[in-house]
Amino acid sequence: MTGWQMLFYKEVLRFWKVGFQTVAAPVITAILYMMIFGHVLEGSAKVYGQVNYTAFLLPGLVMMSVLQNAFANSSSSLIQSKIMGNLVFLLLTPLSHRAWFVAYVGSSIVRGLAVGAGVMAVTWWYARPDLVAPLWILTFGFMGAALLGALGLVAGLWAEKFDQMAAFQNFVIVPMTFLSGVFYSIHSLPAFWQQVSHLNPFFYMIDGFRYGFFGVSDVSPWTSLALVGTALVAVSALALHLLRTGYKIRN
C-alpha cells in the first residue's frame, strides 16, 4: 500500500474494530427516533401534500446519521491521537497533508455511509419511500459525509481536550442537524423561521438528499447542490491549510 492507503486502512479499521459502538449504536438510535416520532405523528401529519410522515422522516434520519457519524469519525480520531500521544508516529512519516486529508475524510465517508445504509436497511420495512432520483441520493450522501468529515478534521485539529470537542459537537453539530428539517418541512414554520432555516447549510444537505426519494423538496436541488459544493470546497481548503501548517499538531 502507499502511505495514504495505509492510513486510510488504519482509520477504517479503527472504527470497525468497535463496530457495535460506531455503527450499530447509531442505527439503533435512528430506529428509536423512527418508532417514537412515526408512531406519534403518522396519522396527523402529511408532507408535500401526499407523503405520509413516516416515509418523509426516513430520509432525514438516514442523512442525519450520515452527517453526525462522519463528523464523529475524523474528529474523535484526531483528538484521541493528540491526547494519547500517538499522533507523533504519524508526524514522523513522510506523508503529505493531502494524504492525511484523503485518509481521514475518506474513512469518515465510509463510516457515515455505512451507518446510513444500516439505518436504511433496518427501517425500510417500516416505511418505504420511493426512489425517484437515486443519483441525487448518492450525490448528497457522499458530499454530506465528505463535508462533515472535513469539518471533523478542522474540529479535531482545533480541540485540545475532550471537553472542547464535546462542546463543538453538542453546541454546533447537533443543533444544526436537528434544526435542518430532519423532522419537519420548513414550510410548516412561520416565515421568519423559514428564513433562518435557509442560513443553515445542513438544511440543504438533507433537503437535497430527500429530493432523491420523492422528487419534491423545499428548495431546488440544484441550489442545494451549489451551496453544499461551495461549503465542501471551503471547509476542505481550510482543513488542508491547517494540516499543511501543522496547526496545533507541530510545535
Side-chain angles (χ1 to χ4, degrees):
M1 292 184 181
T2 61
W4 75 264
Q5 289 174 329
M6 182 60 74
L7 182 56
F8 170 77
Y9 175 74
K10 173 255 183 187
E11 286 300 309
V12 171
L13 194 63
R14 185 191 69 87
F15 79 77
W16 192 252
K17 282 288 186 178
V18 287
F20 188 81
Q21 174 188 347
T22 57
V23 178
V27 172
I28 294 172
T29 300
I31 294 172
L32 293 175
Y33 279 126
M34 175 69 75
M35 293 174 63
I36 294 169
F37 284 92
H39 175 72
V40 172
L41 298 175
E42 172 63 27
S44 59
K46 290 288 183 181
V47 189
Y48 303 144
Q50 73 281 359
V51 178
N52 68 68
Y53 181 77
T54 305
F56 170 85
L57 181 61
L58 190 149
L61 289 177
V62 172
M63 194 59 171
M64 181 181 73
S65 301
V66 170
L67 300 180
Q68 291 184 345
N69 285 276
F71 175 85
N73 192 72
S74 54
S75 60
S76 64
S77 180
L78 265 179
I79 191 66
Q80 287 174 6
S81 296
K82 288 167 69 174
I83 292 176
M84 296 175 67
N86 57 37
L87 190 64
V88 66
F89 297 112
L90 274 180
L91 294 172
L92 292 173
T93 67
L95 291 175
S96 69
H97 61 284
R98 289 181 293 274
W100 282 48
F101 178 84
V102 171
Y104 277 101
V105 174
S107 61
S108 297
I109 293 172
V110 172
R111 176 176 167 182
L113 295 182
V115 173
V119 173
M120 177 69 73
V122 174
T123 58
W124 191 256
W125 63 271
Y126 198 81
R128 301 193 178 194
D130 298 325
L131 299 176
V132 174
L135 186 59
W136 283 109
I137 297 173
L138 295 175
T139 299
F140 280 101
F142 181 86
M143 291 180 65
L147 175 55
L148 268 292
L151 186 60
L153 200 55
V154 172
L157 291 169
W158 164 78
E160 297 178 348
K161 51 186 179 180
F162 288 112
D163 289 349
Q164 291 176 326
M165 181 55 63
F168 192 97
Q169 187 156 8
N170 292 331
F171 295 107
V172 178
I173 301 300
V174 172
M176 291 182 71
T177 305
F178 275 78
L179 298 176
S180 59
V182 171
F183 301 100
Y184 55 86
S185 169
I186 66 166
H187 288 308
S188 64
L189 300 175
F192 172 77
W193 292 109
Q194 289 187 35
Q195 297 301 317
V196 172
S197 296
H198 282 92
L199 301 177
N200 183 357
F202 286 44
F203 159 72
Y204 297 99
M205 288 183 274
I206 291 175
D207 194 59
F209 185 77
R210 187 174 274 133
Y211 176 85
F213 288 87
F214 305 113
V216 183
S217 56
D218 291 319
V219 299
S220 167
W222 293 104
T223 300
S224 297
L225 182 66
L227 292 172
V228 173
T230 301
L232 176 58
V233 170
V235 175
S236 297
L238 175 59
L240 284 166
H241 172 72
L242 296 179
L243 287 171
R244 181 176 59 82
T245 58
Y247 178 72
K248 289 192 177 184
I249 56 175
R250 290 190 179 97
N251 294 326

